[in-house]
Amino acid sequence: LKYVSFPTQTLFKSSKVIPVMLTGKLLHKRSYPWIEYVEALGITLGVAVFLMSTEHAKKHGARPHSDADSVVGVLILAVY
């Protein structure tokens, strides 16, 4: 995807488990142990913190994070 930066793509891919679990719970009446919700949230928060810290650690790259992400790109990832 040329509309969003690699860190944004990684964050969306790692947090995909949350909507999958919620859909399973709401539509398919599946039950998950609470520890799985905590794990999914922990994975998402951990990746987010890691990606934000690496972005701040870099000086000025070839494509700054704010210029690489567009609203269209984030919406495409959210719908996908």
Side-chain angles (χ1 to χ4, degrees):
L1 290 167
K2 66 180 182 177
Y3 297 109
V4 293
S5 65
F6 179 73
T8 304
Q9 291 177 29
T10 304
L11 181 59
F12 268 83
K13 288 179 184 179
S14 69
S15 64
K16 192 182 283 191
V17 70
I18 293 173
V20 168
M21 290 178 73
L22 290 176
T23 302
K25 177 113 174 132
L26 297 174
L27 297 180
H28 301 292
K29 306 297 185 209
R30 290 189 73 178
S31 62
Y32 299 99
W34 283 104
I35 190 70
E36 290 190 24
Y37 290 107
V38 172
E39 289 172 352
L41 187 62
I43 290 169
T44 302
L45 290 175
V47 171
V49 169
F50 175 76
L51 291 174
M52 289 192 312
S53 67
T54 57
E55 284 294 314
H56 287 293
K58 292 179 186 177
K59 291 289 184 186
H60 295 287
R63 284 180 68 180
H65 180 69
S66 60
D67 292 342
D69 294 335
S70 69
V71 174
V72 173
V74 172
L75 287 175
I76 289 171
L77 282 176
V79 172
Y80 180 69

